[in-house]
Amino acid sequence: MPSEKKSGYRKNFSLILTFIILMSVLFMLSLVLAYRFSTKFIENEFVSEKVNVLEQSIKPYNDFFQKKLPEVSYYNGYLDSATASNFVDTVLLEYPFVSKVIFYDSEVRNSPVNDGLNTGKFSFGPKSIYQFGSLVPKDSVALFSRDNTRNFIVGDDFNTLALKLASYIESLDTSRVPSPDELFSNFSNVRSNKITYLNIPRVEDLKMYKSMMRKELDPQPVYQQDMLSFHLDPYKIRIINTRPLLFQYIKIEPLTYDPLDISTSYLTTEITLPGPFSDYKLYFISSKSFIDKEIRSYFLPIALALLVFYSIVVLVAFLIYRNLNINQKMFKLQYDFMNNLTHEFKTPVSVIKIAGNNIKSATTLTERELKMYGKILDEEADKLNGLMNKLLAFTQIENKAIELNQDKISIVDFIESTIESHRLKHPDFNFTYETSGFKTFVTDPVLLGSLFDNLAENAYKYSPPERKKLHISARLIKGKVVLRFTDNGIGIPASEINNIFKKFFRIQNQYNQNGSVGLGLAFCKELVNFMNGEITVKSKVNKGSEFKIVLPYIDND
């Protein structure tokens, strides 16, 4: 049976160890895969997050193009140079990427102009041209007037939008009202680093423009038609890095920019700017060591989650292994208990049966034989009765089925009666005792007697023939009754100290080969607990043991 138990333990341990090794391999593999996933994810983020950076960085431009320009384009009051100057000042403050604004104070006429566009009877040309900007000298604000051109050529910005206007008017369907989006797209022109737009006229004026293209009207009408050209500087766009832990450097570069010194230790990506900035791009660059920090910050929570999961699995495996061992130990204890209990019962029963058979088969018995058989039957019956009483008392105490009696006893008389009963059973048992601090106290004498008997029996049983000694000490210390039972026996190994008060536990030694059920000290522990006390032990192998019992002191005097 012991070999089977050991093999069972080895089997359980090997299974759990194999399981933990397998889970550890899976854990390490999961960490590797999680790190690779984190690396791939961050590298993909490096490419995809540039869109968010672009959107946030050009948000002021979108606001300018979608709100500010339409707001002024639909301004029907028309501008003069002073009003245009004030407008440009607010634009320059709010939108730093606008470097300069050229204002064309223009007219649509039914008669030819020297500078501008002439198509049919429709003419469009500037009266004056002004430039505004923080770096424009004051003496250079006025660029052109009909009286003084200052050698300034009207140029492509005006002519391109003038042709666009003439084409739109030529194809205009006067039977329907054009939409605002249609008007804005036809009255504006977006070029590299430049946005030019016309002040959008009323629908009635557009119809008049169409009439002016086909014939000369009488009288000849003249309409104010302002034009503004915004010069943009892409390098003044404020870059908003929405992922500072991902993008180490972001800068604006021409589309043709191609660095020559980028090695494999850097990650780069780029995205083209929209609209008038389409000749430029946002260029992103980060070193691998910089990206590794972001990878680790993303990987660590995943690794922590995996570690928690792994720890839970290992803990469950440990608990299963512990429960298996406990169950096996309980099975072994119960098996040993049944074996020993059977032996304990079997021995006196066999002796009683033998004595009974001898009495029954004998024709005559002498007085000496009658006394001998009577003594045998009496002693063996006492053994059976004692064993049954111990089991019954143990069960009753565990289930709180008995009450604690409170009787006053003399400690000296109690110890001496215990010594006397054990000397009768074991003449070679050497007893000594001492008391101090008290003479009587209130307790349950039956339970206390069971406690003394068990500890005395253990002291005799687990001592070599030449050292069968027991010293009992009873003292009153700090209002507590302290009992010490000191023997010179074989002692208890330190590794077994914590187990000796467990039910069915037996130390494997030569004294436990036969006749021990493993209930003695467990019974003592239950007795002391029931009496509201404490029991502890100190022991050295081959030197002896000392059991210390502390009980509450009650004296009715």
Side-chain angles (χ1 to χ4, degrees):
M1 187 67 184
S3 63
E4 291 178 6
K5 296 291 178 294
K6 291 181 181 179
S7 64
Y9 287 129
R10 285 198 298 270
K11 184 178 180 181
N12 288 338
F13 179 76
S14 62
L15 285 174
I16 296 297
L17 182 62
T18 302
F19 176 76
I20 291 176
I21 291 173
L22 178 61
M23 290 305 301
S24 299
V25 171
L26 290 175
F27 173 66
M28 296 304 297
L29 181 60
S30 299
L31 287 180
V32 172
L33 293 176
Y35 188 79
R36 289 182 179 177
F37 169 78
S38 300
T39 302
K40 194 67 177 176
F41 178 82
I42 294 301
E43 288 176 351
N44 290 337
E45 285 276 288
F46 184 82
V47 175
S48 62
E49 280 296 309
K50 63 186 178 183
V51 177
N52 290 332
V53 175
L54 176 64
E55 288 178 352
Q56 293 300 317
S57 299
I58 66 167
K59 194 173 182 180
Y61 163 75
N62 290 334
D63 179 73
F64 168 75
F65 186 76
Q66 296 172 7
K67 295 180 181 179
K68 197 70 175 179
L69 289 186
E71 174 188 324
V72 181
S73 298
Y74 287 100
Y75 177 68
N76 291 319
Y78 299 99
L79 304 173
D80 56 21
S81 60
T83 308
S85 177
N86 291 334
F87 167 71
V88 170
D89 287 342
T90 61
V91 168
L92 293 177
L93 286 174
E94 194 171 353
Y95 306 103
F97 52 83
V98 179
S99 60
K100 183 173 65 173
V101 179
I102 298 179
F103 170 58
Y104 298 85
D105 185 8
S106 311
E107 290 179 340
V108 173
R109 304 174 67 89
N110 201 203
S111 57
V113 295
N114 293 327
D115 296 284
L117 172 70
N118 295 294
T119 174
K121 301 300 180 178
F122 179 83
S123 299
F124 179 41
K127 293 186 300 179
S128 302
I129 302 175
Y130 303 90
Q131 64 175 347
F132 305 102
S134 58
L135 300 178
V136 175
K138 289 184 178 182
D139 58 353
S140 300
V141 172
L143 295 176
F144 170 87
S145 69
R146 286 176 181 170
D147 299 328
N148 180 16
T149 64
R150 299 182 62 181
N151 298 320
F152 179 79
I153 300 173
V154 173
D156 289 342
D157 291 338
F158 184 89
N159 293 332
T160 300
L161 200 52
L163 286 170
K164 195 172 184 180
L165 173 63
S167 299
Y168 176 71
I169 293 171
E170 181 67 30
S171 61
L172 178 65
D173 182 1
T174 56
S175 64
R176 68 177 184 85
V177 177
S179 67
D181 290 341
E182 178 187 343
L183 290 173
F184 185 73
S185 62
N186 282 282
F187 281 73
S188 63
N189 186 41
V190 178
R191 303 176 66 183
S192 178
N193 300 333
K194 195 179 296 181
I195 300 176
T196 306
Y197 77 92
L198 282 166
N199 188 272
I200 299 174
R202 296 172 299 179
V203 176
E204 292 79 6
D205 295 340
L206 288 173
K207 293 178 180 180
M208 186 60 71
Y209 290 176
K210 191 173 183 69
S211 299
M212 290 167 61
M213 293 188 77
R214 296 175 180 176
K215 60 183 177 179
E216 187 174 334
L217 303 178
D218 186 23
Q220 293 181 346
V222 176
Y223 291 90
Q224 294 294 320
Q225 185 66 60
D226 296 334
M227 180 187 294
L228 284 93
S229 181
F230 292 85
H231 291 243
L232 309 178
D233 184 357
Y235 292 106
K236 291 186 178 179
I237 294 176
R238 181 169 162 266
I239 298 173
I240 299 176
N241 188 355
T242 57
R243 294 290 297 272
L245 299 179
L246 187 62
F247 301 117
Q248 192 172 11
Y249 302 106
I250 307 175
K251 53 186 178 178
I252 296 174
E253 296 290 352
L255 282 178
T256 55
Y257 176 74
D258 187 17
L260 300 176
D261 57 344
I262 295 300
S263 65
T264 56
S265 59
Y266 290 89
L267 284 180
T268 63
T269 188
E270 58 189 46
I271 187 170
T272 304
L273 293 170
F277 305 118
S278 57
D279 289 339
Y280 295 84
K281 63 185 177 183
L282 281 181
Y283 185 76
F284 303 79
I285 181 170
S286 298
S287 65
K288 286 289 183 65
S289 59
F290 185 82
I291 293 294
D292 286 343
K293 295 178 183 177
E294 184 69 1
I295 292 173
R296 285 193 295 271
S297 67
Y298 186 83
F299 166 72
L300 285 177
I302 300 176
L304 182 61
L306 290 173
L307 180 61
V308 170
F309 176 75
Y310 172 77
S311 300
I312 292 173
V313 170
V314 171
L315 178 61
V316 170
F318 169 75
L319 293 176
I320 292 173
Y321 173 69
R322 190 188 67 171
N323 288 339
L324 287 174
N325 281 347
I326 290 174
N327 289 338
Q328 286 190 340
K329 288 179 180 178
M330 288 299 297
F331 176 76
K332 182 177 183 299
L333 288 174
Q334 290 175 1
Y335 178 83
D336 291 343
F337 168 72
M338 293 304 297
N339 275 347
N340 294 326
L341 190 63
T342 301
H343 183 272
E344 286 287 304
F345 276 103
K346 187 175 181 180
T347 301
V349 168
S350 298
V351 173
I352 290 172
K353 187 171 181 62
I354 292 171
N357 288 333
N358 288 342
I359 293 173
K360 184 174 68 174
S361 60
T363 55
T364 58
L365 292 173
T366 64
E367 183 177 350
R368 179 175 173 277
E369 289 175 330
L370 285 173
K371 288 182 178 181
M372 181 188 69
Y373 285 129
K375 181 181 179 182
I376 291 173
L377 291 173
D378 186 61
E379 288 178 351
E380 297 305 319
D382 285 343
K383 286 183 182 180
L384 285 174
N385 187 56
L387 184 59
M388 293 300 299
N389 287 338
K390 183 182 290 187
L391 288 172
L392 180 61
F394 200 116
T395 303
Q396 288 176 333
I397 290 172
E398 275 192 324
N399 297 322
K400 309 294 183 184
I402 61 174
E403 293 183 0
L404 187 66
N405 294 323
Q406 299 290 333
D407 295 332
K408 187 174 182 180
I409 64 169
S410 168
I411 188 63
V412 172
D413 292 344
F414 194 87
I415 293 174
E416 286 183 348
S417 65
T418 300
I419 292 173
E420 184 63 27
S421 64
H422 283 277
R423 276 178 177 165
L424 288 174
K425 292 169 63 177
H426 310 295
D428 58 338
F429 204 176
N430 184 12
F431 280 95
T432 58
Y433 75 92
E434 61 175 314
T435 63
S436 66
F438 74 109
K439 293 182 179 179
T440 61
F441 80 112
V442 175
T443 186
D444 189 317
V446 174
L447 299 184
L448 188 65
S450 296
L451 191 62
F452 273 56
D453 288 341
N454 273 280
L455 292 176
E457 283 294 333
N458 276 0
Y460 183 83
K461 180 178 180 179
Y462 294 106
S463 296
E466 70 278 6
R467 299 207 308 262
K468 293 188 179 297
K469 299 178 182 179
L470 179 64
H471 178 71
I472 302 174
S473 167
R475 295 178 180 175
L476 184 64
I477 302 175
K478 296 181 179 180
K480 300 282 187 181
V481 174
V482 180
L483 306 172
R484 287 185 171 88
F485 294 78
T486 307
D487 63 48
N488 295 334
I490 61 174
I492 303 167
S495 60
E496 307 289 358
I497 286 289
N498 294 328
N499 297 319
I500 60 173
F501 293 112
K502 295 178 180 178
K503 287 186 293 184
F504 312 130
F505 179 81
R506 296 187 311 148
I507 299 174
Q508 298 299 321
N509 56 49
Q510 60 180 332
Y511 297 90
N512 267 337
Q513 296 302 312
N514 295 301
S516 176
V517 183
L519 284 178
L521 291 178
F523 183 56
C524 291
K525 177 75 172 176
E526 290 295 330
L527 283 174
V528 172
N529 290 342
F530 188 68
M531 297 168 73
N532 300 315
E534 296 179 1
I535 182 170
T536 56
V537 61
K538 293 190 296 184
S539 184
K540 289 185 178 180
V541 176
N542 295 325
K543 296 290 184 180
S545 303
E546 179 187 89
F547 288 86
K548 175 184 174 183
I549 298 168
V550 180
L551 297 173
Y553 174 68
I554 302 173
D555 192 354
N556 290 335
D557 291 340

